[in-house]
Amino acid sequence: TQLLEQSPQFLSIQEGENLTVYCNSSSVFSSLQWYRQEPGEGPVLLVTVVTGGEVKKLKRLTFQFGDARKDSSLHITAAQTGDTGLYLCAGDQNGGATNKLIFGTGTLLAVQP
Amino acid sequence: GAGVSQSPSNKVTEKGKDVELRCDPISGHTALYWYRQSLGQGLEFLIYFQGNSAPDKSGLPSDRFSAERTGGSVSTLTIQRTQQEDSAVYLCASSLRHSNTEAFFGQGTRLTVV
């Protein structure tokens, strides 16, 4: 059973376009993380959101945690070729207790020059 | 070392053989995860260690898969009697204490079963 569904699965856009990636669940998470993975590398953390309704900005990336802490979104403004990669959300259900991170299905983004 | 180290980086094995994958986490990180990733896909959880114990091994796909961690540090994932469907990239991650702190990943071991 996949607890975190991401959409879209694949996205190919032109440089300069905007895009939004969604991470949805029926479960409540105490915190949610977003990672980016480039080919041949392991995922690297972009941001952690912990409060329902929280919005965090990282240059051209805007992350939002849903009010009910069941979903999150990642918006990229004016995409660049360097944004290409696999974007993964990851949720923590037990408030930092001894539990595992649950990873989403992933969104593969290709930004064309 | 500075980061999570996995070895080997690539492994090609014949169907039916056993393989061992190694993970050296960041020093001082008590939490360690193993994940499996198929080409272009998300991460499939395999097992989680806190120290030397594994409170969650629910993701191991069959009894051919096992993992251990010694000294609260190095972990080994063993796959016995490998099958072609075991082909994937196996990623290891470690974090300081628990799951809402940053997980640092190794570069993975690409396993190909022929």
Side-chain angles (χ1 to χ4, degrees):
Chain A
T1 302
Q2 183 58 252
L3 293 182
L4 276 170
E5 295 286 343
Q6 287 184 237
S7 62
Q9 240 185 319
F10 304 100
L11 190 55
S12 180
I13 61 171
Q14 296 296 122
E15 203 167 24
E17 291 183 11
N18 301 332
L19 67 117
T20 302
V21 175
Y22 298 94
C23 174
N24 294 297
S25 176
S26 57
S27 303
V28 174
F29 292 95
S30 57
S31 69
L32 200 136
Q33 300 176 347
W34 283 93
Y35 290 77
R36 180 170 70 207
Q37 184 180 24
E38 298 184 15
E41 303 290 329
V44 175
L45 181 70
L46 295 173
V47 78
T48 301
V49 286
V50 296
T51 306
E54 180 177 3
V55 176
K56 276 192 176 178
K57 293 193 174 184
L58 193 67
K59 296 183 181 178
R60 295 175 295 100
L61 278 59
T62 302
F63 304 85
Q64 185 163 9
F65 200 12
D67 290 341
R69 304 207 310 277
K70 293 183 178 181
D71 53 82
S72 180
S73 64
L74 158 60
H75 182 79
I76 301 179
T77 304
Q80 300 177 357
T81 55
D83 295 328
T84 293
L86 179 68
Y87 287 82
L88 296 157
C89 61
D92 160 27
Q93 284 187 298
N94 280 11
T98 53
N99 197 17
K100 62 184 183 286
L101 270 178
I102 299 168
F103 276 84
T105 47
T107 294
L108 192 57
L109 171 65
V111 182
Q112 311 295 338
Chain B
V4 178
S5 176
Q6 290 187 247
S7 60
S9 53
N10 280 286
K11 176 72 177 179
V12 179
T13 190
E14 291 182 352
K15 178 180 171 181
K17 295 284 179 71
D18 298 351
V19 295
E20 279 191 358
L21 311 180
R22 178 186 168 105
C23 173
D24 280 273
I26 293 173
S27 178
H29 281 195
T30 58
L32 187 147
Y33 304 81
W34 281 99
Y35 292 92
R36 181 167 69 174
Q37 185 176 36
S38 300
L39 188 62
Q41 301 298 309
L43 302 184
E44 175 190 3
F45 168 77
L46 297 178
I47 188 169
Y48 160 70
F49 287 93
Q50 185 62 243
N52 289 336
S53 64
D56 190 343
K57 51 180 78 170
S58 61
L60 294 176
S62 75
D63 59 7
R64 296 186 296 105
F65 287 72
S66 62
E68 64 174 13
R69 189 179 184 193
T70 54
S73 180
V74 172
S75 177
T76 302
L77 176 69
T78 301
I79 309 173
Q80 296 178 309
R81 305 180 301 282
T82 51
Q83 303 294 315
Q84 287 186 328
E85 61 262 29
D86 299 334
S87 296
V89 174
Y90 289 81
L91 286 162
C92 173
S94 70
S95 67
L96 263 177
R97 293 183 308 280
H98 43 62
S99 52
N100 69 353
T101 57
E102 179 176 359
F104 292 83
F105 283 82
Q107 291 189 311
T109 293
R110 180 175 297 280
L111 175 67
T112 304
V113 182
V114 297

